[in-house]
């Protein structure tokens, strides 16, 4: 009998948050927030001019021209996705696996969310042929697919979609009349920006793509909720923007004034912010490479992480060893590794994968333990992985996966 989620392990109430960077708040950001702390109110719905103009400058520097009248901000990307889903109507398509917060908002609105397989080379973007097949099947069964959510720099897989794959998927979505929401929360966290090409779907299909970015990806601490959305040009984008503002108004979803001030400052990317982002990306790229080496060395499977602060691990080769520990599915694997590692290890079922598939997302921010001073030191030392507190965390990770490998070898049948 297939195991179902027990009470206390619901996919919505216990969904994993965005991966934290594990670092102290940038002092310059704290100063901006503190200076605005006397402003006890909030921004207008969709945000005031300063925040919207800062968001336009951010996108302009990335080759996406933007008008402040086509920008909206909200307290977090989930709020924006909820408003977009409500405004667009119809059924929702998402990759498998996908960010844990994408599908629950469709279900909250009573909309079906259909998972589309991704190609072996990348997560975050559905395989174009699987997308066409899913759309046609849903329509044949009486459904009304209208929205495709994707991510070129992905949570949970930490992959970056190749431009050619993205182009094929965007063309397939355009041919089927879908609106695209491109979650670009992690676009500024590429581990090797010189060798990794990241394109936005908005560059390929400017009139049918809404770009959403949660500033907790690279610019703000996760506890300061702020996200921005860039709507397409043309009458369709204008109407969608207006409907989204209606939903945000109904939700009273406004960014707190001090957080808005910090967000506007961060989006202008002054030198302290740019330097912190670059240093944080370098640090987490090293941590992710070390974690990837540890899990692959133990016999697990994982794509080399290309972005973000996480990696996605498939422990199917170690299934026999896991079974000996009473682990038979992703929820039991989540419980087992969370307890052993002392850090969150959400199972793949949180991200739309099969409950029976032994997959987890590991976050590199959890490897940065210690005091604020110790964690800040990781950004300035030339060898952060050799710091005692980081080294201890990596040794723990490596030893736990090595123990599973050794257990698996003991359970191998004689040849």
């Amino acid at each position: 009998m297939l195991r179902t989620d027990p009470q206390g392990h619901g996919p919505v109430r216990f969904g994993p948050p965005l991966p934290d960077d594990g670092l102290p708040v940038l002092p310059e950001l704290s100063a901006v927030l503190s200076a605005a702390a006397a402003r006890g109110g909030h921004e207008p719905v969709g945000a005031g001019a300063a925040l919207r103009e800062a968001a336009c400058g951010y996108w302009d520097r990335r080759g996406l021209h933007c008008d402040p009248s086509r920008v909206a901000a909200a307290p977090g990307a989930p709020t924006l996705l909820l408003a977009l889903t409500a405004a667009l109507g119809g059924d929702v398509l998402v990759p498998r696996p996908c960010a844990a917060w994408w599908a629950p908002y469709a279900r909250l609105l009573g909309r079906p969310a259909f998972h589309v397989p991704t190609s072996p080379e990348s997560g975050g973007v559905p395989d174009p042929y699987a997308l066409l097949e899913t759309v046609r099947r849903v329509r044949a069964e009486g459904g009304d697919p209208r929205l495709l959510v994707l991510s070129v720099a992905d949570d949970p897989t930490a992959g970056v979609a190749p431009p050619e794959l993205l182009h094929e998927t965007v063309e397939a979505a355009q041919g089927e009349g879908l609106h695209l929401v491109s979650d670009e929360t992690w676009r500024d966290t590429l581990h090797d920006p010189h060798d990794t090409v990241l394109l936005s779907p908005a560059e390929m299909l400017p009139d049918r793509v809404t770009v959403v970015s949660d500033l907790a990806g690279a610019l703000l601490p996760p506890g300061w909720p702020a996200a921005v959305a860039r709507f397409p040009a043309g009458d369709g984008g204008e109407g969608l923007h207006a409907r989204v503002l209606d939903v945000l108004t109904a939700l009273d979803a406004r960014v707190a004034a001090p957080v808005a001030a910090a967000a506007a400052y961060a989006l202008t990317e002054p030198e302290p912010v740019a330097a912190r982002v670059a240093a944080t990306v370098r640090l987490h790229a090293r941590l992710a490479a070390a974690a990837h080496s540890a899990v692959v060395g133990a016999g697990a499977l994982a794509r080399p992480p290309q972005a973000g602060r996480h990696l996605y691990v498939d422990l199917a080769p170690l299934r026999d060893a896991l079974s000996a520990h009473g682990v038979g599915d992703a929820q039991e694997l989540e419980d087992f590794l969370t307890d052993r590692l002392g850090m969150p290890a959400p199972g793949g079922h949180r991200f739309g994968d099969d409950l029976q598939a032994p997959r987890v997302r590991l976050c590199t921010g959890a490897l940065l333990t210690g005091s604020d001073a110790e964690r800040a030191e990781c950004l300035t030392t030339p060898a952060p992985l050799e710091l005692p507190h980081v080294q201890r965390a990596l040794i723990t990770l490596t030893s736990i996966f090595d123990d599973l490998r050794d257990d698996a070898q003991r359970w191998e049948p004689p040849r």
Side-chain angles (χ1 to χ4, degrees):
M1 180 182 295
L2 293 180
R3 181 175 176 272
T4 57
D5 284 337
Q7 186 173 359
H9 291 96
V12 177
R13 288 179 294 128
F14 293 86
L18 286 176
D20 192 357
D21 66 8
L23 296 166
V25 176
L26 178 68
E28 288 81 359
L29 271 180
S30 294
V32 172
L33 189 79
S34 297
R39 296 168 56 191
H42 45 62
E43 292 283 285
V45 171
L51 179 51
R52 289 184 286 111
E53 288 169 4
C56 285
Y58 168 87
W59 277 310
D60 282 341
R61 291 190 294 275
R62 286 152 181 80
L64 293 174
H65 175 69
C66 189
D67 187 282
S69 66
R70 295 296 175 87
V71 173
T79 305
L80 285 172
L81 183 57
L82 174 65
L84 280 161
T85 306
L88 285 163
D91 302 337
V92 180
L93 301 164
V94 295
R96 181 187 299 254
C98 69
W101 53 273
W102 288 0
Y105 291 91
R107 293 196 295 267
L108 184 65
L109 293 168
R111 310 274 172 75
F114 297 95
H115 287 269
V116 185
T118 55
S119 68
E121 57 192 308
S122 176
V125 174
D127 176 84
Y129 299 104
L131 175 63
L132 291 172
E133 180 183 347
T134 303
V135 169
R136 290 165 188 172
R137 174 178 56 80
V138 170
R139 286 180 177 150
E141 295 173 355
D144 182 22
R146 297 188 196 177
L147 170 62
L148 170 64
V149 188
L150 49 75
S151 178
V152 287
D154 186 44
D155 171 22
T157 66
V160 176
E164 57 276 12
L165 170 65
L166 180 64
H167 188 267
E168 291 177 6
T169 299
V170 168
E171 279 194 332
Q174 180 183 25
E176 296 298 332
L178 303 177
H179 188 89
L180 278 70
V181 169
S182 177
D183 176 10
E184 300 186 8
T185 294
W186 301 104
R187 71 166 296 152
D188 296 323
T189 65
L190 300 185
H191 295 177
D192 192 350
H194 298 294
D195 288 341
T196 306
V197 178
L198 185 148
L199 292 179
S200 170
E203 299 176 63
M204 304 176 182
L205 194 61
D207 60 340
R208 295 193 70 87
V209 177
T210 300
V211 177
V212 171
S213 181
D214 197 307
L215 303 189
L219 297 174
L220 289 182
W224 300 5
V228 288
R230 173 192 179 273
F231 291 82
D235 293 341
E238 182 179 7
L240 178 60
H241 178 253
R243 294 194 300 276
V244 165
L245 290 181
D246 286 343
V247 177
L248 294 176
T249 300
L251 296 172
D252 196 27
R254 308 165 190 258
V255 181
V259 174
Y265 171 77
L267 282 165
T268 62
E269 299 177 287
E271 192 279 332
V273 171
R276 166 59 80 91
V277 170
T280 301
V281 171
R282 285 194 301 270
L283 171 62
H284 283 280
R286 293 179 177 181
L287 290 167
H292 178 262
S293 177
V295 300
V296 171
L301 304 173
R303 292 192 188 106
Q306 297 175 283
R309 305 188 281 261
H310 49 278
L311 66 158
Y312 199 54
V313 185
D314 186 344
L315 284 83
L318 304 175
R319 192 183 291 274
D320 289 343
L322 292 170
S323 296
H325 290 282
V327 175
D329 61 28
Q331 180 60 65
E332 291 169 347
L333 179 61
E334 174 183 310
D335 296 339
F336 174 77
L337 285 180
T338 297
D339 179 62
R340 291 293 184 94
L341 294 171
M343 59 185 272
H349 61 303
R350 307 287 188 190
F351 310 100
D353 257 338
D354 184 0
L355 179 65
Q356 303 307 310
R359 296 174 186 145
V360 294
R361 185 191 72 184
L362 301 178
C363 300
T364 52
L367 299 171
L368 299 177
T369 59
S371 66
D372 283 357
E374 287 175 322
R375 289 180 290 128
E377 185 183 5
C378 296
L379 293 169
T380 56
T381 180
L385 304 191
E386 296 178 9
L387 293 173
H389 53 288
V390 178
Q391 198 171 55
R392 284 194 298 271
L394 286 171
I395 288 173
T396 298
L397 176 72
T398 302
S399 64
I400 287 169
F401 276 89
D402 282 350
D403 287 346
L404 287 174
R405 177 200 58 203
D406 295 343
D407 289 345
Q409 290 172 349
R410 281 194 291 271
W411 280 93
E412 284 183 358
R415 297 181 180 178

